[in-house]
Amino acid sequence: MEMKEDELVQPVSPTAQHMNSSVQSISLIVVLELEMAIDELQFMSFAKHFIHLNPLFTSIMVNDTNGERKWKKVEVNIEEHIIVHTPPSNLSLQLFDAYFNEYMTNYALQELSQNKPLWEIHIINCPTSNAVGNLVFKIHHSLGDGYSLMGVLISSMTRAHDPSLPLTFPSRKVKLEQSGHILGRVYQFLLSSMNTMLDFGWNIMKSSVLEDHLTPIRSGRDDVEFRTFAIRTITFSLPQIKQIKTKLGVTINDVITGMIFLGLRLYMQETRPDSTNSNSTALVLINTRMVENYKSVQDMLKPNNSNAPWGNRFGFLHIDIPKATEYELSNPLQFIKAAQKMIKRKRYSSAVYLVGKLMEMIHKLRGPEVAAKFMYKTFRNTSLAISNMIGPREKMAVCGHPVKGVYFTVVGVAQSLVITMISYMDDLRITFRSEKEFIDDEKLTSCMNKAFENIYKAFMEVSI
């Protein structure tokens, strides 16, 4: 029976159009490191279940008769979306690592075909230092953000040791200071209003005319989003990070952000000392949904679910990387305090929501391509992007395959460096996606390890 046109299509959200335009095409890559070789037939069955989690997984973007972008349902050939790659045999573990990294770099640069639904799953039975097999998801950002895709994990994966129990996640709740006194509430309102105006104006300037200095982490090349990049990860202990957080009276995000800022300045010092005082900005992506915990895909797709809908619901925060003239590299805890101060101030600001409204206005008045250019320049004028996700507390399994580790990154953004983080059980995995032949990824991760070591050493010497 032939389906009616209104059953075939639904509108593409403005943000999804900005992510998939002539200006930019942004995708998410998620890697699941498995403890056993991958059973290809099982994952073919998994994919057939996967595509029914959300109608967008069986849809493509088209223009209707009025030129409006719509999602159109199409027939899906699973074999076109599941890529099985068999590496050469008899390689050493070190060569397998190098082979997998090279495969990831080459594959990640390839744009997804617009003629079929915008996702792929790669099965790579390539034993590496971290896994026996690797399952790689590539999903276009227009389909949804990290929060949405975490809902896919909840909906399609189980606990490795007890599949009858659901995965659980740490709370995402952010506590803001509240004053019970009327004068205190007035002060907080005035502070929020002032911060909002200052931040909104600064964000507009950074997305239009103000560019960060060129430094060892920002090449400023016009084609940076198309240049070959490296993907490297490092793992830190969450219990150790929580120790620092508790003793210093800060948040986990304060500790991580301070460590990243210190690591970046250490890298600049080792590669080009004069750049430690550069004007460098981190573009921090935050989820704007008013929820504490993740929801399943089914819950996110409910019509009346206004608090945690599927899609792209995030905003940008511009955070200045502390300069070496302001904070001594030999005093690492200063960078945590600086991060705490900046993040706390940003919380008393609604600029991120105003920027979102501005994007909607640009989209409505001048069209999606102009709005996409605004987003493109927001990335291009800054030095790096930082995004983080909260992963499950328990070990998870997919199709009965225990997952040893998980990490993700973002490709297609106009930046030399993207840093992403995800927690999983007792680990924090940080991924660095860096421009090859410009950023020394080995030295960068070494500086990040050094930053954490210096912070932990200084923390152990602090008496509370």
Side-chain angles (χ1 to χ4, degrees), residues 215-219 221 230 267 383 415-418 433-444:
T215 66
I217 62 170
R218 180 175 185 264
S219 69
R221 293 188 174 103
Y267 176 75
S383 295
Q415 291 174 313
S416 298
L417 179 63
V418 174
R433 195 231 70 194
S434 57
E435 183 182 344
K436 265 189 176 181
E437 299 179 358
F438 174 71
I439 293 178
D440 185 335
D441 59 303
E442 185 175 352
K443 181 177 289 186
L444 177 63

Side-chain angles (χ1 to χ4, degrees), residues 131-304:
V132 177
N134 291 272
L135 195 65
V136 183
F137 294 77
K138 185 173 185 179
I139 301 177
H140 202 282
H141 219 314
S142 60
L143 297 182
D145 55 16
Y147 179 92
S148 298
L149 298 179
M150 192 58 71
V152 174
L153 287 183
I154 296 173
S155 304
S156 59
M157 299 190 187
T158 62
R159 288 198 195 189
H161 301 300
D162 192 343
S164 65
L165 296 176
L167 295 168
T168 63
F169 296 77
S171 173
R172 302 176 60 255
K173 187 174 182 179
V174 176
K175 295 182 179 180
L176 295 179
E177 295 178 4
Q178 299 291 336
S179 173
H181 196 279
I182 183 65
L183 292 178
R185 290 198 295 271
V186 170
Y187 170 77
Q188 287 181 357
F189 172 77
L190 293 175
L191 180 64
S192 175
S193 299
M194 182 178 68
N195 288 345
T196 296
M197 290 186 291
L198 291 173
D199 290 342
F200 181 67
W202 178 245
N203 287 356
I204 299 305
M205 294 292 286
K206 291 296 295 183
S207 297
S208 53
V209 296
L210 291 181
E211 291 189 34
D212 279 1
H213 290 156
L214 300 182
T215 66
I217 62 170
R218 180 175 185 264
S219 69
R221 293 188 174 103
D222 290 335
D223 62 344
V224 65
E225 65 269 33
F226 302 113
R227 298 185 69 85
T228 304
F229 55 81
I231 298 175
R232 185 181 286 265
T233 71
I234 53 178
T235 303
F236 295 106
S237 163
L238 269 179
Q240 285 186 328
I241 293 173
K242 290 176 181 178
Q243 282 182 327
I244 299 171
K245 164 224 170 192
T246 302
K247 194 170 185 179
L248 298 183
V250 297
T251 68
I252 289 178
N253 277 342
D254 295 336
V255 176
I256 298 169
T257 305
M259 181 201 71
I260 288 174
F261 287 168
L262 175 60
L264 292 174
R265 289 303 187 189
L266 289 174
Y267 176 75
M268 292 180 187
Q269 184 184 52
E270 289 195 13
T271 52
R272 212 184 82 201
D274 64 299
S275 64
T276 57
N277 297 320
S278 63
N279 291 327
S280 299
T281 310
L283 193 65
V284 180
L285 281 67
I286 61 168
N287 175 33
T288 58
R289 295 172 179 84
M290 302 303 292
V291 292
E292 296 180 16
N293 296 306
Y294 293 113
K295 303 291 183 181
S296 67
V297 176
Q298 293 82 356
D299 287 338
M300 282 190 277
L301 293 177
K302 289 179 180 177
N304 298 322

Side-chain angles (χ1 to χ4, degrees), residues 20-32:
N20 189 20
S21 66
S22 64
V23 180
Q24 60 186 0
S25 180
I26 303 175
S27 295
L28 291 161
I29 293 180
V30 182
V31 180
L32 299 182

Side-chain angles (χ1 to χ4, degrees), residues 232-418:
R232 185 181 286 265
T233 71
I234 53 178
T235 303
F236 295 106
S237 163
L238 269 179
Q240 285 186 328
I241 293 173
K242 290 176 181 178
Q243 282 182 327
I244 299 171
K245 164 224 170 192
T246 302
K247 194 170 185 179
L248 298 183
V250 297
T251 68
I252 289 178
N253 277 342
D254 295 336
V255 176
I256 298 169
T257 305
M259 181 201 71
I260 288 174
F261 287 168
L262 175 60
L264 292 174
R265 289 303 187 189
L266 289 174
Y267 176 75
M268 292 180 187
Q269 184 184 52
E270 289 195 13
T271 52
R272 212 184 82 201
D274 64 299
S275 64
T276 57
N277 297 320
S278 63
N279 291 327
S280 299
T281 310
L283 193 65
V284 180
L285 281 67
I286 61 168
N287 175 33
T288 58
R289 295 172 179 84
M290 302 303 292
V291 292
E292 296 180 16
N293 296 306
Y294 293 113
K295 303 291 183 181
S296 67
V297 176
Q298 293 82 356
D299 287 338
M300 282 190 277
L301 293 177
K302 289 179 180 177
N304 298 322
N305 180 27
S306 59
N307 288 333
W310 178 277
N312 286 287
R313 303 300 175 100
F314 62 87
F316 302 113
L317 287 179
H318 290 82
I319 298 183
D320 294 330
I321 301 175
K323 299 179 181 180
T325 52
E326 300 170 321
Y327 301 95
E328 296 180 8
L329 296 178
S330 59
N331 190 345
L333 298 186
Q334 285 186 329
F335 281 81
I336 294 178
K337 292 297 184 181
Q340 179 193 35
K341 182 179 179 180
M342 286 186 286
I343 293 173
K344 184 177 180 180
R345 179 191 173 283
K346 296 290 183 179
R347 286 176 182 162
Y348 289 104
S349 170
S350 299
V352 64
Y353 299 100
L354 291 182
V355 172
K357 293 298 181 183
L358 176 64
M359 286 287 292
E360 292 177 11
M361 186 180 301
I362 295 172
H363 180 97
K364 186 175 182 180
L365 298 178
R366 302 192 63 188
E369 291 295 314
V370 176
K373 288 179 182 178
F374 184 88
M375 179 183 286
Y376 174 85
K377 290 203 72 175
T378 299
F379 283 106
R380 190 184 183 282
N381 289 359
T382 51
S383 295
L384 74 151
I386 299 177
S387 180
N388 69 80
M389 295 292 299
I390 299 173
R393 291 190 180 101
E394 304 84 16
K395 176 176 285 191
M396 57 186 177
V398 53
C399 294
H401 295 61
V403 178
K404 184 179 180 182
V406 56
Y407 61 93
F408 77 101
T409 190
V410 182
V411 295
V413 294
Q415 291 174 313
S416 298
L417 179 63
V418 174

